[in-house]
Amino acid sequence: IKEKLPSNLGEYCLPLGKIELMKSGSDISLVSYGSTLRIVEQVALQLESYEISAEVIDVQTLLPFDLSHEIRESIAKTNRLLIVDEDMPGGASAYIFQQLLEVQDVYPLLDSPPKLLSAKDHRPAYAEDGAYFSKPSAEDIFECVYEMMHEVDPEKYPLL
């Protein structure tokens, strides 16, 4: 993805260890970073038409990780968690999950089982087409969130 070169190159917009809240929501916390973040943002907007309010969080850094425990605050509000990552299963998404469970103690706040959505467990594909089938797509993310919400309220969110 091509972006305009920033005028403040070399300066940090956010301090290390601070997350960025990309979109406020009340039904589910979507935690991501890197290339999947843009996809998560697009899906969060699509979910609004299904009356699902998703909070989108950009982790920004893994080391240090969310020093202010702002993700915990989000999960306390939504009581649901989906971590979306372009890395292989057991990679960065597992680290994020471990930090949230062990350091931030989010488990008691969850009303639904948390989910991790990462790349497929196979040899990485080449080019953009291959990445589409390896990494979580917009459809994968939408389906995962919708299934989580269906568990909560099957009448409001019937199977598609």
Side-chain angles (χ1 to χ4, degrees):
I1 297 173
K2 300 271 184 187
E3 293 183 343
K4 187 178 176 182
L5 187 65
S7 61
N8 65 343
L9 200 59
E11 297 175 22
Y12 291 111
C13 295
L14 289 172
L16 294 176
K18 177 127 175 85
I19 65 148
E20 184 173 0
L21 182 64
M22 306 297 289
K23 180 185 174 302
S24 287
S26 57
D27 293 324
I28 187 168
S29 298
L30 304 178
V31 176
S32 188
Y33 73 100
S35 69
T36 53
L37 181 65
R38 294 181 196 285
I39 301 168
V40 169
E41 284 182 294
Q42 292 169 357
V43 172
L45 294 175
Q46 291 173 345
L47 289 167
E48 287 178 358
S49 64
Y50 289 83
E51 297 181 27
I52 299 172
S53 175
E55 186 143 295
V56 178
I57 297 171
D58 182 358
V59 170
Q60 294 282 324
T61 62
L62 295 175
L63 294 171
F65 179 80
D66 189 18
L67 296 174
S68 302
H69 295 194
E70 293 175 89
I71 297 174
R72 187 180 202 288
E73 293 172 22
S74 172
I75 295 168
K77 179 172 56 169
T78 66
N79 304 111
R80 281 169 206 77
L81 170 66
L82 173 62
I83 300 169
V84 183
D85 180 24
E86 67 181 318
D87 201 359
M88 65 178 190
S93 57
Y95 174 76
I96 292 168
F97 191 49
Q98 177 264 338
Q99 289 290 300
L100 293 174
L101 287 177
E102 293 180 8
V103 177
Q104 296 190 20
D105 190 31
V106 301
Y107 188 75
L109 304 173
L110 295 168
D111 288 343
S112 299
K115 302 265 182 169
L116 281 69
L117 189 57
S118 59
K120 307 290 187 289
D121 190 14
H122 61 73
R123 187 170 175 232
Y126 293 101
E128 195 168 315
D129 289 345
Y132 177 83
F133 293 105
S134 293
K135 297 177 184 179
S137 68
E139 292 83 10
D140 296 334
I141 298 166
F142 182 91
E143 288 172 8
C144 190
V145 170
Y146 196 86
E147 285 174 16
M148 290 175 77
M149 297 307 295
H150 171 74
E151 282 182 13
V152 173
D153 190 346
E155 289 183 23
K156 186 174 181 181
Y157 307 106
L159 291 177
L160 298 174

